[in-house]
Amino acid sequence: MVAAALVSRCAALASFFSLAAQVIFVQADGSRLPERGLLDPICRRIADETSSATKVYYPGSSTYAKAIHHWSFASTEASECVVEPATPEDVGRVLQIVGETRTPFAVKGGGHSTNPGFSSTKGVHISMDAFSEVKYDASSQTAEVGAGLVWDDVYEALEPFAVNVVGGRVSGVGVAGFTLGGGFSWKTNQYGLTVDTVVAFELVKPDGTVSTVTEDSDSELFFGLKGGLNNFGVVTKFTLKTFPQTNVWGGLITYTANSIAEVTAATAEFSATVTDPKASIITTYNFLAGSPGISLLLFYDWPTPPPGLFDSFLEIPHFTRNVKTRTFLDLVTAAPSNVQANQRGSFHMVPVLEYTPSFIEAVVNQTVYWGTRLSLLPFLRTGTFFSYAVEPFLPNIYTHNANPTAYPYSRSRFFSPFNIYFSWLSPTDDKLFRDSVLESARALLDVAQAGGQSNLALAVQVASAKADSSRLPERGLLGLLVDPICAQIADETSPATKVYYPGTPKYLKAIHHWSVASTQLSDCVVEPATPEDVGRVLGIVGETHTSFAVKGGGHSTNPGFSSTDGVHISMAAFCEVEYDASSQTVEVGAGLVWDDVYAKLEPHSVNVVGGRVSGVGVAGFALGGGFSWKTNQYGLTVDTVVAFELVKPDGTVSTVTEDSDWELFFGLKGGLNNFGIVTKFTLKTHPQTKVWGGVITYTANYIPDVTAATAEFSATGQLKDPKASIITTYNFLAGSPGVTLLLFYDSPTPPPGLFESFLKIPHFTKDVKTRSFLDLVKAPPSNVQANQRGSFHMVPVLEYTPSFINAVVNQSVYWGNRLSLLPNLRTGTFFSYAVEPFLPTIYTHNANPTAYPYSRSRFFSPFNIYFSWISPTDDKLFRKSILESAQALTDAAQAGGQSNLGEVPLYPNYAEGSTPVEVVYGDHLDELRALKARVDPENVMGLAGGFKL
């Protein structure tokens, strides 16, 4: 269901981008508007000088739209008109007219090309739809096939005669382009390429004359047409050899990422050992909806294959399977090849001499690398599908024709075609994706040659050389060659420590962040098993000056704070929760999220001062300060830390307490990742009963009522009871403002009337009740905005006055209207302004100073802002906008009498990444820098991102 939801989301975005692209398509070039097409003299001349059976269509008609349409939207161009000739002679007259007037034109058969301009044009579009005959001649065992057909039509027409031709392997592929380009088929192992089976071409030459071209009539032209594409005229009909056709066996099997290694081994084995010419496979490594997977097509040209031939595939656990005895046409239509229709796309290829395990492993790595880098998920690029098709053939396929053909230009050296296909949504990404396809092909060519497949460069399309090599990752990212630093880490840490590279699901899971704006592709992921191994990793990255990052829960929205393009250290193995009833403390691993901690402590009826919503990591939250539902009673999370298990930058492991090193203990309480890597926290616990609270949502009509109740509660409600807390969030979503209210009371039932001012307001939804603490934390839909791009920022607020909250409402509506998908077709999806009132005593729960907050003598509440959006090209716009909004609200607060806000610290867990470190640490900055010099004289932690001292 998750996968289905992701695909649905992708499809929705595809529809949006497709609509946007079509709007731009018309507006960008006025010459393509219908008005000109209706008057174009060339089109009118064609209509006048061809037979009445030939049709000319103009923009604005459904037939015109159907005719210019291509399988890949990137190849669809708006022409001046569409000409649908009825006879070869009319094709000849059209060629004469466009030739005399030097008018650009295109010829479209099936429309499966992904190359813009190959079968599309801004000039005169020639549609071959009228050439749709299939005539079988049993005496010559040949079939005449019209150039306007797709192979599905041919197979269906020949089925009653129990014969077939050497044609396309999937549904929707045009006869003409496929044949004129060569043609690799399910029957190629038995009969050669499609060009090897052509007996005659009906050709309209560029001068308009019509002729039948055979080996005997014109051997040179016959040679040229076999692979020479559209260079010699317009082919209107092919005469093809036919062959007997029974039912066949085969179909589609899909596998999840877990089975990639087994399918890879089976594919390499099949390629190397199977010699039965009736047997064929296509193993396609895909990346879709954020995950890798495999589609396998099996084919045997007989109702039943020999026993055991395909067992190496059939024995692997599958996700879906549709393999059986069937008609040839049914097999061709079994593959979901048209799922990617109506998107933008590009094919490319690599000629492969041998599908070795090492080459196929490189294919897997390329699939995951480019899929991760350019996908809607996790990066919200506009890529939707990434496909790498392993297509092994027998080495004798080029021997079925003794005569030379334009393609392949050499029949003396065997190769199999290896196909790459990327699809995407936005036309602004065309160059990026086409360059990326070429880069990927070049990388795989290098791998094949490194594996001993020499001189492949002679067979590669020259276009691949056009890729900008400066964009190729310099080390490790492709996963083809192991980064030496990563290899050193793997060698010098214990066997329990894991190192993952691009191409594995665990790598993807490890680098993934709640906000995809913070997800970066690292050279590798290291998952240390012990503090000592963390120390060795720090030693290696320090010695080699390698950038790195440390990720606990991955909830930061600041790129580079817990992500890197170097060595990514995942703390996932540090997942212990050990409660000590005698000391009333708990040891908590740095790889956990607060949900895990609450679940473990629930049986003991105790709790800690932790995160307020689901999915927030322990480590970043605790090291940044930590505002909690329990802060009114016990202070910040840093106020409840008894000890840190710390791996220092020099690799040594120590337990830091107030007594062991009070300066470092001070620095770790809010100092983030500046002093080493914390692997474990020892926290005070407090008794925990059931709690009362949950979520209420309100529509825009009730914003004034909620605002008045929030201001009243902030000013008076909490003074009566530190167990009570609220978060009032003003949202803008789907073109409309609204409010989400979180209520919390740290007891099964609140005092009568405490929250009455909220409860009496008519609500849209309401989920408020007595429940466990963990259930309350999971109640808000905080993960709805996961897997989008996003940024937090904040304003320190001394008092939530009605005027300030009204300014908040205005800001939410202003930025929501300005940057939303609706109504302005920006890529913003969600705008959130969270009013979080606390008691003025919250900083008095700890008598000792902490790195954050740098001042405990002046009260403030953190006010949180969050924007989310889709397109990475909008990152700068949205981050700039959130800073502008924060400044506007700071000005509003100061205008309302909240003076000297510049002297109040910004909460580092909310602050946008460009925030100066001075406004985070203020008067403590000099002391923290001196501590940093003592603990980390080589500035190892400076190789990681964050608010650096």
Side-chain angles (χ1 to χ4, degrees), residues 349-425:
M349 64 85 65
V350 176
V352 177
L353 307 185
E354 184 182 359
Y355 282 114
T356 62
S358 61
F359 179 81
I360 301 176
E361 286 169 7
V363 168
V364 175
N365 291 337
Q366 284 285 305
T367 308
V368 175
Y369 171 71
W370 289 107
T372 304
R373 186 169 185 176
L374 298 179
S375 272
L376 280 164
L377 297 173
F379 282 109
L380 288 180
R381 295 281 187 179
T382 68
T384 56
F385 187 67
F386 302 80
S387 163
Y388 291 73
V390 173
E391 309 177 13
F393 288 95
L394 293 180
N396 65 349
I397 60 172
Y398 303 120
T399 66
H400 292 283
N401 188 357
N403 297 320
T405 50
Y407 177 88
Y409 67 78
S410 172
R411 288 180 174 261
S412 62
R413 193 176 189 204
F414 166 73
F415 70 91
S416 286
F418 170 76
N419 180 257
I420 307 172
Y421 175 72
F422 289 5
S423 69
W424 64 96
L425 301 178

Side-chain angles (χ1 to χ4, degrees), residues 811-848:
Q811 283 289 301
S812 68
V813 174
Y814 171 75
W815 288 107
N817 274 318
R818 186 168 183 177
L819 298 178
S820 275
L821 280 166
L822 299 171
N824 286 330
L825 290 181
R826 296 282 188 177
T827 68
T829 56
F830 187 67
F831 303 81
S832 163
Y833 291 72
V835 173
E836 308 178 13
F838 287 95
L839 291 178
T841 56
I842 60 173
Y843 303 121
T844 65
H845 293 282
N846 188 355
N848 297 320

